[in-house]
Amino acid sequence: MVSTNGETKRSYPSPNSTLPFWRTEPHELDDHRSTEKLPEECDVLIIGAGYAGSATAYHLLDSKNPSPPSIVLLEARQACSGASARNDWFLLQGGHLRPEVYFGMADYIAKFGVEAAVEITNHEVSHIQAIKTIVEREKIDCDFTLTRTFDVFLDEAMAIGCKEAYDKIVDRGLTSIQDAHYTPAKYAERVCGVKDAKGCFSFTAAHLWPYKFIVHLLATTVAKGLNLQTHTPVTHVSSAPDSSGYYVVTTPRGTIKSKKIVHASNGFTASILPEYSQAIVPCRGICCRIVTPDLKKAPYLNNSYTVRAGPGPCEYLISRVDGSIIVGGAKVAMSEDKSVWYGNTDDSTLIEPAQDFFDGYMQRTFVGWEDSGAYVDHIWTGIMGYTTDLQPHVGAVPHRPNQYILAGFNGHGMPIIFLAAKGIAEMIRDGKSFEQTGLPRVYKTTEKRLQSKENELLGRNPRN
């Protein structure tokens, strides 16, 4: 985490985190240790058993290589107990597979150019089919649901501005946004069901049970030889390899040597890689599950949502197949005290200014829910990794040979991680360069990004 004076302060996952709904049905691998003691050495060591770490292991072992690498996956707490299973806050983490089809496109074009902007959108959109394919191929029981999602504006000026930006993108002839459709204020409330909607976009998305999806990937890789070690936090990685090319990784249970390291600890990256302390910031978010007294009689809601009250604050929503609703956000309730979320790694408590925000949320937001009796039956917090330039860090860690990073997803990891992890696996297993993987160029972690003074997360440039 980052202290107020800009110095790096080491922090690790809380041992007593709040319980998210997604983790109410723990898998047999939840506290798994493949071996009683840590192996002495391995070919690849992955730090973090969330989505990024699990997907990287899956791709490394998902090949016809007759001599697969030996892989050890270290996790500070239980398997998939971090942001991947907490579905939190600003944007769309956890179970919401919702690509950035149009909303950020104008900004991406202005900052990175048309080609790079299209790369970002195409990468995210391609995840829907990729995840659908893997769920069907591996027969993963994770409530995968293909749907339409609504991006709803409650602010008229914002709705008009986004529509104008969208029209300019259409005029460019970019095919990446063809799936998006805009409904104006006249019909918006009736089409999307959100009260006082001033306009809305819809496009294809999906959602799933993230914990069940990720632990299935873990189970598949454990069966192929992955050594999974839960409750094993990494406290240090040697700054340089020894004469045999091994890094020494230190944990409370002892040390292990590895020739290659993958950093997949997201919001906790800087605790091991201090050079990322001003690039990836831990941010605490809050999320809840809303139910009705009788889930079978819950008002019909078939889509997922982002509801935007203005340029900054928004809530996102997943309507689950069991009739319950997952809602995250409440940033408007935290705006006056940055310390409750920015640089905060405590997911053992709720965020006090926001903990009552979701009471009555469905009744005041959606048409037809006024007499539903909907109430919050689960509420929790989680730690995400936000980057100060709002793009993930992927690739070879600068000045650390054979170390790689896949972190900093800005609460938006579901449509980024799986195929980015495939790229990392290709770099490790096949010796590809970042450029050869075909990943969006702006994802590449570089020394220039680490030294940048911008902080778009706080809306200022340069950093204080």
Side-chain angles (χ1 to χ4, degrees), residues 73-86:
L73 177 53
L74 303 182
E75 168 56 46
R77 299 189 297 202
Q78 302 96 336
C80 191
S81 59
S84 301
R86 291 178 182 273

Side-chain angles (χ1 to χ4, degrees), residues 65-324:
N65 184 354
S67 301
S70 59
I71 306 173
V72 174
L73 177 53
L74 303 182
E75 168 56 46
R77 299 189 297 202
Q78 302 96 336
C80 191
S81 59
S84 301
R86 291 178 182 273
N87 200 40
D88 301 308
W89 199 28
F90 274 174
L91 295 175
L92 313 161
Q93 185 49 278
H96 205 175
L97 183 54
R98 185 180 191 271
E100 185 69 274
V101 172
Y102 80 95
F103 186 73
M105 179 65 82
D107 289 339
Y108 295 156
I109 291 173
K111 186 173 183 180
F112 306 121
V114 173
E115 288 187 4
V118 170
E119 288 174 2
I120 295 171
T121 298
N122 287 346
H123 177 82
E124 295 195 14
V125 169
S126 63
H127 273 76
I128 295 176
Q129 187 59 49
I131 300 303
K132 181 177 182 292
T133 298
I134 202 70
V135 167
E136 293 173 347
R137 188 180 81 189
E138 299 282 1
K139 296 179 173 57
I140 304 176
D141 181 11
C142 63
D143 295 345
F144 178 87
T145 303
L146 191 65
T147 187
R148 296 286 287 184
T149 188
F150 280 111
D151 208 351
V152 183
F153 303 98
L154 304 182
D155 180 89
E156 185 175 9
M158 187 179 185
I160 293 172
C162 287
K163 177 59 166 63
E164 290 175 348
Y166 169 80
D167 289 340
K168 290 179 181 178
I169 297 169
V170 171
D171 290 342
R172 286 179 177 268
L174 300 182
T175 59
S176 57
I177 64 168
Q178 286 181 340
D179 186 47
H181 174 73
Y182 182 77
T183 300
K186 182 178 179 179
Y187 304 111
E189 181 178 302
R190 185 164 183 82
V191 168
C192 70
V194 175
K195 296 178 181 179
D196 299 321
K198 307 304 181 187
C200 63
F201 281 93
S202 67
F203 48 93
T204 302
H207 56 84
L208 47 73
W209 191 310
Y211 175 82
K212 290 184 177 182
F213 174 71
I214 293 165
V215 294
H216 189 105
L217 297 183
L218 276 176
T220 300
T221 51
V222 167
K224 292 181 178 180
L226 172 73
N227 188 311
L228 171 63
Q229 297 287 334
T230 62
H231 302 285
T232 309
V234 172
T235 57
H236 186 260
V237 176
S238 58
S239 58
D242 62 19
S243 58
S244 299
Y246 284 96
Y247 287 96
V248 177
V249 178
T250 303
T251 81
R253 298 175 56 214
T255 61
I256 177 173
K257 297 194 299 182
S258 181
K259 289 193 172 182
K260 296 182 179 181
I261 309 288
V262 179
H263 297 269
S265 53
N266 205 24
F268 297 92
T269 297
S271 294
I272 306 300
L273 296 175
E275 61 265 43
Y276 282 84
S277 63
Q278 298 295 313
I280 301 178
V281 180
C283 291
R284 186 167 64 150
I286 191 166
C287 192
C288 75
R289 179 181 185 245
I290 295 176
V291 299
T292 57
D294 184 349
L295 284 176
K296 294 181 180 179
K297 295 181 180 179
Y300 180 73
L301 199 66
N302 193 42
N303 304 100
S304 66
Y305 290 81
T306 293
V307 180
R308 302 182 186 276
C314 69
E315 277 69 54
Y316 72 91
L317 179 150
I318 302 168
S319 57
R320 286 190 24 79
V321 292
D322 64 358
S324 66

Side-chain angles (χ1 to χ4, degrees), residues 1 19 21 23 41 59 64 70-71 80 110 119 143 186 223 233 306 380 393 402 409 453 462:
M1 98 185 259
L19 178 66
F21 163 73
R23 288 185 46 79
E41 62 184 47
H59 287 300
K64 296 180 181 179
S70 59
I71 306 173
C80 191
E119 288 174 2
D143 295 345
K186 182 178 179 179
T306 293
W380 60 92
H393 281 267
N402 291 321
F409 307 111
K453 300 301 182 182

